[in-house]
Structures are given as structure tokens and as C-alpha cells.
Amino acid sequence: MNCKTIFAEVLVIGSGAAGLRAASALAEKGIKATVVSKGACASPEIMGFNAPVLPGDSEECYFMDVERSGYGINDSRLAKILSEKVLGEVHWLENNGVHFERDEKGNYLPIHTLGTTYARLVKAGVSTGVAEMKALQEKCKNCGVEFYMPLDILGLLKTENKVIGAYGVDKDGETVRFITKAVVLATGGCGAMQSFSTYPKPIIGDGYAMAYEAGAKLVDMEFQQFEPCCFVYPDEIRGKVIATTLLRHGAELRNGLGEPFMEKYGLTRNNAQKGNLARAMLNEVREGRGTPHGGIYYDMTMLSHDFLYVDHEIFTKPAAQVGMDLTKEMPEMMPAAHTNIGGVIIDKNCNVGVEGLYACGEVIGGLHGGNRLGGCAGAETVVFGHIAGDGAADYVLAGAAMPSEADIDSAWQKADERMKAVMTRSGDVKTEDIRKRLGETMFNNLGILRNAESIAKAAADVEEMNGLVKNAAVSGVKDMAEVIHCENMLLLAEMQIKASDMRKESRGVYFREDYPTQNDTEWLANVVISKTDAGMDISVRKAINDTTF
Ligand SMILES: Cc1cc2nc3c(=O)[nH]c(=O)nc-3n(C[C@H](O)[C@H](O)[C@H](O)COP(=O)(O)OP(=O)(O)OC[C@H]3O[C@@H](n4cnc5c(N)ncnc54)[C@H](O)[C@@H]3O)c2cc1C
């Protein structure tokens, strides 16, 4: 296929906080970074992130909280790195123009979220993510980072053993290939694959599929976190979040009959986590005690107007947007697909085990174990974005060369054949129909609750959709790109199904109705997925409790 060729020293795929932090780290080491992105990302949604900023708090305490909340299966090496490096990232962001809130004496004013020993959620006004993104974009532009967006990456270019670039489609429908010394994958999570999600629509998990195809291993893909309190109504703010943090301040969850129900499930304001809250909410609705739009009431009427709309504007802006007075009215909420906890396995430099390929941000796995603490995803983006940028820069500085013509030709041939094969599809199946059906299948069968029957149902459905996508209607490059996205999502669904089938227990955010208890005898372990000549390989490794790489 005709294509434009762009040579770039290091290519960063993704312009969220992780990608931009990686690009700025590359630039700080004198390496030219080129960022490509679809555009939309989750990072501007970050309300704040966790850092040990209060007197008395410490890296150790932070580390212990991350470990405890991970239900014994975190990669402790990554948890240690996060706890040691996050404060440095707060300071780095401050030096680059982010104003985290402090009192007149200069002390930070973090919010105390569920599950942490100390208040840690540092925030920069109403929209920390927006402030952070602005500072990162500014920094990148000042350092000469080049941007191509919107640009939709469809796959990586790889020789036998090395990643040498990526290819995709630009906004005009032109095919573009980037030839590079190294690639940093910062493509975020996959929440929008599911039908009810907090995520922007383009965040469907392409990076997991690309990493898998390139030979990386993925861990714990069965762990998807659901954010408990997301509006089901009105439609304008459907999927928007009000953080569960307000439960700490007296807010109450009530079923459709107006009854508080957390206690019935053994949940208190101290032990409630996103996972156990989501299950309790779903159970109330399933047992017929839902609200008119199939949700749960989030009662904040006991809190003052100023507390809600001034002090906690960061949480209540969606309600304000539709003129909802939370001091008088109880919104109807349900859990929506949120952060993906599993992801690509990395080493201490964020290399994924394939030469030339690095990863950071939500696309990586292992850090959070069985459950992610609210506020640790934002921390993960900057800490591991920095490390991935440094890792790729060091690789280049150690002498990595641009690929040879022969390498470019052989890697391109595979990509070209893939795209040409998709272009010949001439059926009548619409990719948006597949996407809709997949979203519902995943949400209903592989969502907050799952069991052998629902996992088998999802598997059968995905198999059928794999057949349907072969009959997709393709009449141009943009349709071809949509087919490849669908195939990526179906591949990701297969990973989640196989990993769920494997893990016969419940742990953290992962709950199997047919194996409702945590089984520490057999399952202090991670499910690992990789591509082999025989197909998708799935195995189990003992959880990594050692903190050194
Ligand atoms: C509503 C909401 C609220 C949240 N609140 C918090 C919070 O308060 N605290 C917290 O810690 N975490 C929070 N999170 C989670 C956090 O936002 C994410 O985990 C984090 O932003 C991920 O950052 P990232 O850079 O890895 O990915 P993203 O910011 O999602 O960026 C991914 C990038 O990759 C690009 N991309 C993806 N696929 C392709 C492709 N095929 N081709 C080209 N580009 C591609 C996207 O366009 C985007 O630029 C929240 C998430 C949501 C949705």
C-alpha cells in the first residue's frame, strides 16, 4: 500500500500523561521524541494522584498500602519503585508549572481517599489532569518534541527480534509508517471496550494487542476495575464519576427503597474498596432493589453546598454541569468499567522483554496486583513514564542504530500484507455493530461478577464475532483501520476470557460467583499470557514478593 515514511529517533505512542512524561524524559536526555496519538485520553480526567506528602507519611507506608490493597499479588518491585519515585514526580511537575494545593505555610492539602493510611491525593484545582497535561504539553513543545495527532496506530513494525517502528492511518486516511530506534507504548487502558465505561471512546486497548503481537508478555488481564459511583442518568453525564471518597465524609449509598446497605455486606467507610462496593451495588440491583434507572442512590444531602460544590468541586462538576443540586437530590449511580489493572510485563527500565520496545502508564501490568488504590494510576503514569523515557534514551545512547533498509522492508512487508488482506473484505457486517455487541458481552459476562457459564458465553460470543469481522464491510482505509481495532479488541477479549477461565478463585476486584473465596494456597499467583507459534499461551507464575529486580 502507498504510505508516507517518517524517520523518528524514538516514537512514543500515546499523548496521555505517561506518553508525555516519557517524551519529556527523552528530551531531557537529548533524544528526539516523536509523539503520535489518536488524541483522546483518560489523563485529563485525573482528579488527583497519590503521593506521601504529609508529615508522618513515608515511602514505606505508601508501599505497604499499595501492597495491602493488591491482595498479595502485586509485583512488589514495581510497587517499591512507585513508592520511592512518586514524590520526585510531584516536585518535577511543580517545577514545570503544576500548582498542587498547599496551605499558606506551604503544606500540601491532599484528599484522603478510601484505602490509604494517610491523605495522599494531591490535586491542582478542579482538574489536576488538565493542569498536568497542560504542563506536560508545554514542556514537550519547549523541548522540541514532535507531534502527529490525530493519528491512529494499527501495529508495530518488527524484525525477527526487534521493534523498529509502527504504522497507522492519519486523519486524511493516509497510511503512515514511522521508522525508529525505539518505541514507547503509552496507549492507556481498555475501559471503552465495555458498554458502560468511564473511558473516552478511543481507549479500547490497542496497546495490549500490539505488545502481545510483538512478543511481550501480559499479566493478570482478568483484573478490570469498576468505578462504583458513575451516573446512569441523565444521559449527558452517563458514565461520569463521583469519587467514593465522599463516603468518608458521611455520604451514604442507598438502594431504590432508600435503605443504606453497605453494612449488610460487611462494608464500612474504612474497609470499602472499589471492588467490594461495586459488587454490593450490583447485588442490590439484581435483587430488585434498584432505582428507577437501574442504579443505586448516592446520598450526599447531609453535606453542605459549599463542601460539595466548592471544597469538592473536583468531584461534583458533572452534577453542576446538568444543574443537579446534590444537597437536595440523590443521583442514580452504577459501577462502570474503569481502570485495567493487568497489562504488559516490564523490567526496571520499562522494557517489555523485546528489544526496542518500552511501555508505561496504564498499559503496563503487575503494579496494582488484585486491586488498584484510587489515585495510584495517575502516580503510575508519571513515575513509569519517566522511567520508560529514560530507558529508551539509554538504549539509544548505548548505540542503537536506525534499522537497515532490509529490516525496514521485511517488517513493512508483514504490515502491508495485513492491511491489504483487510482491504479485500467485502461483506456487509458493520464494525460498529461488532463493537457494540462486544461491549455488551464483556460488560454482562466478564464484568463485576463472572462464573464458568458467563465466561463460556463470552468465549462463544467472541468466537462468533471473530467470524463476523472477516465479513466486515471495508470500502477504504478508515474502514480497514476500524476492522483492525475490532480485531485488537477481540484479541484482548480472548486474553481476558482465558485468564478468567484460569483463575478459579475471587481476589480484589476479580469476583467469581462459582469460586467466591480467596484461595491463598493456590492463587498467590499471576496469570501470564504470551504469543507462541501454537497460539495464545497461558500460564501461572508465583506472585513476585521480592522488591529487587
Ligand atoms: C473518569 C476517570 C477518572 C479518573 N480519575 C483518576 C484519579 O483521580 N486518579 C488516578 O490516579 N487515576 C484516575 N483515573 C485513571 C487514569 O486517568 C488513567 O489510568 C491514566 O490517565 C492513564 O494514563 P495513560 O497515559 O497511561 O493513558 P491515557 O491518558 O489514556 O492515554 C493513552 C493515549 O494513547 C493513545 N492511543 C491509544 N491507542 C492508540 C492507537 N492505536 N494509536 C494512537 N494512539 C493511541 C490515546 O489517544 C491517548 O493519547 C481516572 C480515569 C478516568 C477515565
Side-chain angles (χ1 to χ4, degrees):
M1 282 178 64
N2 287 338
C3 83
K4 187 156 86 187
T5 302
I6 296 170
F7 291 90
E9 198 163 29
V10 176
L11 182 72
V12 178
I13 308 176
S15 64
L20 296 185
R21 185 65 186 94
S24 47
L26 279 155
E28 281 176 340
K29 286 207 166 203
I31 304 296
K32 172 95 183 152
T34 299
V35 174
V36 289
S37 157
K38 286 180 182 176
C41 52
S43 293
E45 305 284 346
I46 294 172
M47 298 170 191
F49 68 85
N50 292 340
V53 289
L54 283 189
D57 199 359
S58 62
E59 286 171 11
E60 292 70 35
C61 185
Y62 188 105
F63 170 74
M64 291 313 293
D65 282 349
V66 175
E67 288 279 285
R68 186 171 37 79
S69 81
Y71 290 82
I73 60 164
N74 315 63
D75 184 332
S76 302
R77 301 168 302 182
L78 301 181
K80 186 91 176 124
I81 291 176
L82 185 79
S83 60
E84 285 174 355
K85 305 249 181 211
V86 68
L87 198 52
E89 290 303 316
V90 170
H91 298 148
W92 186 90
L93 285 165
E94 287 179 322
N95 289 335
N96 284 286
V98 179
H99 300 289
F100 291 109
E101 286 171 14
R102 298 170 182 246
D103 65 16
E104 59 289 349
K105 290 190 185 138
N107 301 311
Y108 289 98
L109 294 166
I111 292 182
H112 201 166
T113 53
L114 294 182
T116 60
T117 307
Y118 286 87
R120 291 201 180 114
L121 196 86
V122 290
K123 59 182 173 51
V126 183
S127 226
T128 306
V130 171
E132 216 184 304
M133 292 295 288
K134 196 165 160 260
L136 284 164
Q137 281 157 359
E138 198 72 18
K139 171 80 181 174
C140 286
K141 282 185 186 140
N142 292 340
C143 294
V145 173
E146 208 168 341
F147 285 86
Y148 290 88
M149 52 196 274
L151 198 144
D152 198 357
I153 294 292
L154 302 179
L156 299 174
L157 293 170
K158 190 177 170 241
T159 62
E160 203 51 47
N161 52 12
K162 189 173 154 188
V163 169
I164 60 159
Y167 62 98
V169 174
D170 71 13
K171 63 177 185 333
D172 302 319
E174 192 176 355
T175 312
V176 183
R177 63 179 185 180
F178 291 86
I179 306 298
T180 66
K181 294 177 180 170
V183 171
V184 177
L185 209 51
T187 44
C190 58
M193 183 169 88
Q194 303 222 15
S195 55
F196 186 42
S197 158
T198 60
Y199 269 61
K201 229 177 152 209
I203 308 297
I204 51 169
D206 293 312
Y208 302 105
M210 287 190 243
Y212 170 86
E213 293 292 350
K217 292 184 171 168
L218 295 100
V219 68
D220 293 342
M221 294 304 287
E222 66 277 29
F223 285 87
Q224 175 82 33
Q225 191 162 48
F226 287 77
E227 181 66 38
C229 291
C230 305
F231 288 90
V232 287
Y233 181 83
D235 284 348
E236 303 96 285
I237 52 171
R238 193 176 151 78
K240 292 281 176 196
V241 181
I242 297 194
T244 48
T245 303
L246 296 181
L247 294 172
R248 271 197 185 274
H249 300 277
E252 193 82 73
L253 291 178
R254 296 180 186 278
N255 62 24
L257 307 173
E259 302 161 342
F261 58 84
M262 278 173 55
E263 208 181 310
K264 192 164 76 186
Y265 297 90
L267 299 176
T268 66
R269 294 176 205 287
N270 290 323
N271 70 8
Q273 299 264 14
K274 289 180 200 275
N276 49 28
L277 270 179
R279 288 195 291 279
M281 291 169 75
L282 182 62
N283 200 56
E284 287 298 296
V285 174
R286 278 196 176 175
E287 291 185 357
R289 294 184 293 278
T291 60
H293 295 93
I296 286 297
Y297 290 122
Y298 198 1
D299 181 3
M300 289 161 262
T301 55
M302 69 296 287
L303 303 171
S304 76
H305 188 274
D306 277 4
F307 179 86
L308 287 172
Y309 289 99
V310 180
D311 302 348
H312 293 87
E313 188 189 357
I314 194 169
F315 299 144
T316 53
K317 2 170 233 192
Q321 199 183 314
V322 291
M324 191 182 276
D325 185 351
L326 296 172
T327 64
K328 298 200 173 79
E329 212 181 320
M330 297 188 291
E332 296 176 55
M333 318 297 272
M334 266 310 265
H338 195 56
T339 322
N340 196 45
I341 298 183
V344 183
I345 296 180
I346 50 164
D347 69 10
K348 65 177 179 203
N349 299 315
C350 288
N351 179 269
V352 307
V354 178
E355 191 179 342
L357 185 58
Y358 296 78
C360 55
E362 197 175 328
V363 76
I364 67 169
L367 166 65
H368 308 293
N371 172 59
R372 174 180 75 80
L373 274 177
C376 275
E380 173 183 37
T381 60
V382 278
V383 167
F384 290 94
H386 184 173
I387 296 172
D390 278 355
D394 290 344
Y395 170 68
V396 170
L397 291 169
M402 274 312 237
S404 65
E405 281 297 324
D407 280 349
I408 297 171
D409 288 347
S410 79
W412 175 245
Q413 195 186 339
K414 284 179 248 161
D416 195 38
E417 279 168 9
R418 181 189 188 197
M419 288 189 287
K420 277 182 182 151
V422 174
M423 288 294 277
T424 61
R425 293 186 199 176
S426 56
D428 56 2
V429 177
K430 292 188 185 131
T431 46
E432 63 256 38
D433 290 344
I434 298 179
R435 188 171 166 167
K436 188 164 181 287
R437 177 168 164 192
L438 180 63
E440 278 159 15
T441 288
M442 296 306 278
F443 190 74
N444 295 331
N445 297 300
L446 232 66
I448 300 159
L449 304 173
R450 50 193 100 177
N451 56 48
E453 203 184 319
S454 73
I455 295 168
K457 163 98 182 56
D461 240 19
V462 165
E463 198 181 323
E464 208 178 309
M465 283 183 264
N466 271 317
L468 288 174
V469 79
K470 293 201 169 62
N471 285 314
V474 179
S475 63
V477 171
K478 288 203 171 169
D479 288 341
M480 179 268 291
E482 282 314 310
V483 169
I484 290 181
H485 288 315
C486 268
E487 289 180 342
N488 283 346
M489 283 190 277
L490 289 165
L491 177 63
L492 180 55
E494 187 186 340
M495 293 184 209
Q496 295 184 343
I497 289 165
K498 288 198 164 140
S500 302
D501 190 37
M502 187 80 135
R503 186 178 287 278
K504 293 186 170 56
E505 64 147 1
S506 291
R507 180 179 299 272
V509 299
Y510 176 83
F511 195 85
R512 283 205 46 168
E513 292 169 295
D514 45 355
Y515 295 95
T517 50
Q518 187 169 309
N519 177 350
D520 282 348
T521 314
E522 287 174 52
W523 277 105
L524 277 171
N526 308 114
V527 175
V528 177
I529 288 176
S530 61
K531 184 177 180 177
T532 66
D533 291 342
M536 191 180 284
D537 183 69
I538 180 146
S539 60
V540 175
R541 78 169 186 201
K542 195 170 168 297
I544 298 168
N545 301 128
D546 190 353
T547 55
T548 45
F549 266 99

